[in-house]
Amino acid sequence: MGTELEHDQAELERLLVLLKETRGIDFMGYKRPTLVRRIARRMNAVGVSSYAEYRDHLEVQPEEYGHLFDSLLINVTSFFRDRSAWDVLRERVVPEILSAKPPGAGLRIWSAGCATGEEAYTLAMILVEELGVDEFRARVKIYATDLDEKALQVARAGVYEERRLSDLPPGFREKYFESGGGRHTFRRDLRRQVIFGRNDLTKDAPISRVDLLTVRNTLMYFNAETQATILRRLHFALSDPGYVFLGKAEMLMNHVDRFEPVDLRKRLFCKIPRTTPVITRRADEYPADNGSPVTRLRAAVLAAGPVAQLAVDAEDKLAMANSRAETLFGFRATDVGRPFQDLEVSYRPVELRSLIDRAKREVRPVELQSVEWQRPGGGGATVYDVSVVPLCDDDGPLIGVSISFTEVTRYNRLRAELEHANEELERAYQELQSLNEELETTNEELQSTNEELETTNEELQSTNEELETMNEELQSTNDELQEINDALRTRTDELHGTNAFLASVLQSLGTAVIVVDVELRVSVWSPGSEDLWGLRADEATGRHLLALDIGLPSKELIPVIQRTLSEELPAKSAVSIEAINRRGREIRLRVDSSLLRDGRGIRGVILMMNHTDAAVPAT
């Protein structure tokens, strides 16, 4: 069983190496139980049972990398998460930061592990409430970083659904978000002060000179060694004073030398600065009588001091060195007064010239710790703490620098022994803290699962709404078609009525009425024409008048029609002709021809035929 577990562990490490080498994301510092659970979730999803098979699957299906990273990088966050902790931050920490700043000075805020941006925008809203919009835009920069580029895209957009804003204080939604289409966008004028970027806390350089750092529920995913590395970087990133805001499952019990609690329950801490006071000397400390007993006593005390110490004057010349320094570095009496850069001590065991220039320029101490020096002549390496301190006169001008070499070899050994002695106790504490963080991680995962279920439910709801919308659109289309059908029915009824009215008009005009167009094709064939000639309307309409096989003497009638179209005859004229009806009987007809016009001109001729016994003069 043990061999199988070791094999699984080795396969897991190979998988993590693959992720690091192919995608550049290092999960080696993450806690193994969390990694095992999250990777197993993806393995079950794709149907593989071993890490080796999953590695093969990743190589064949590169898109699986994205799903795996989404699973490993648990992006659970919200606006004003743990509201009471944010209240303490606003009421205690923010005023302290502002009071330590000169009026109008800039503020630098860092939200590490910002996920989809809610925490960064929460910081923005808190500072706007404290400073006002104009001063916020003039003074504040909020740097928000995360490892997940997909989450950062959401954060940069600053667009959130309705449920994401449920934890906002009353009135904040209307004040800080622009709403539309069921989604809410963080105000663009304030959004410009929030800068999003990718940053890996385990290896990338931290953002410097930060007044407030929020890194909530992020450290708990890392093992103890990686946590310590990250916290050293975060300590360096903070200004003096600088504040850290952690998640409720995270503590700094092993880092009390770097951070002190502001509110332990709310996980708010302040940076402990590491400084050495600038040594200043009064002019009256250097009596004019260099041979006085007090002066000789001071010189003797300095010379006999246990710490190797030397001084460089304002002209960068060696001004003095005590006995310990003379022995350590092999100074001779002739070395006093020489340019310091000509002496070996200026660059061995450590480059001192740049440190001296920095101490003079910044007028503050510069320290280097744990400098190892392998002295000539053999023997083990010796370890020193080097301190370069600017020396100022009572009136303020710089008169030189003091350089001290404090041997800490024995203390380093003692520290190692003490660390070894406390290792078991620390391990037990780490296990307890790890258990607490595991519980919190499990809670985060449960919350993440719940959010995924909520997302699925929202997707189903969205699909249902989409189907409902389509149903409404179909219903609307059906209503429009119904309206069109009703309109057509009305138009048809009107057309039938018009046709009936026209038929009655035609019936009233004479025995028969025929309308021909300018090409002598029949346009209208009245019921009287059907009765008179025995030809139905559908048989006559559209045909040339000469092509109709009826008893109408076309040769006599065509010239009348043509002369009417050419307007050689009056608009209305009459002619009497002999014809044969459908029964073969001879009849005499009076034919009245009228020109048919509309707005576009002459459209044809209307022929009205009536029985007559009287002769009609030929036209």
Side-chain angles (χ1 to χ4, degrees), residues 250-316:
E250 298 163 327
M251 295 289 287
L252 297 175
M253 298 299 293
N254 293 331
H255 306 277
V256 293
D257 58 330
R258 289 188 174 90
F259 303 95
E260 61 179 352
V262 176
D263 190 316
L264 188 60
R265 294 183 61 189
K266 303 305 180 185
R267 305 298 190 263
L268 286 161
F269 299 86
C270 182
K271 173 185 177 180
I272 298 176
R274 295 184 175 184
T275 59
T276 304
V278 177
I279 299 176
T280 59
R281 300 177 184 261
R282 295 174 55 83
D284 56 12
E285 289 181 327
Y286 299 92
D289 182 8
N290 292 332
S292 68
V294 174
T295 302
R296 293 197 301 273
L297 178 61
R298 288 173 178 165
V301 169
L302 181 62
V307 176
Q309 187 172 8
L310 51 92
V312 177
D313 62 18
E315 297 178 355
D316 291 331

Side-chain angles (χ1 to χ4, degrees), residues 28-46:
M28 303 297 287
Y30 284 61
K31 292 178 180 176
R32 292 301 181 266
T34 303
L35 291 176
V36 170
R37 286 196 306 272
R38 305 304 290 180
I39 294 174
R41 184 166 174 250
R42 289 306 310 162
M43 291 169 60
N44 291 333
V46 300

Side-chain angles (χ1 to χ4, degrees), residues 301-352:
V301 169
L302 181 62
V307 176
Q309 187 172 8
L310 51 92
V312 177
D313 62 18
E315 297 178 355
D316 291 331
K317 295 180 179 180
L318 181 65
M320 59 79 61
N322 66 0
S323 298
R324 180 66 175 166
E326 291 175 355
T327 303
L328 185 61
F329 299 110
F331 288 138
R332 299 186 300 274
T334 56
D335 290 333
V336 177
R338 291 180 60 190
F340 185 68
Q341 63 183 9
D342 295 343
L343 302 176
E344 182 180 359
V345 70
S346 67
Y347 57 85
R348 187 181 292 127
V350 67
E351 169 59 49
L352 289 175

Side-chain angles (χ1 to χ4, degrees), residues 533 548-554 578-582 587:
W533 308 116
L548 300 180
D549 186 15
I550 57 177
L552 185 65
S554 301
E578 298 289 337
I580 299 174
N581 64 14
R582 65 184 180 86
I587 57 173

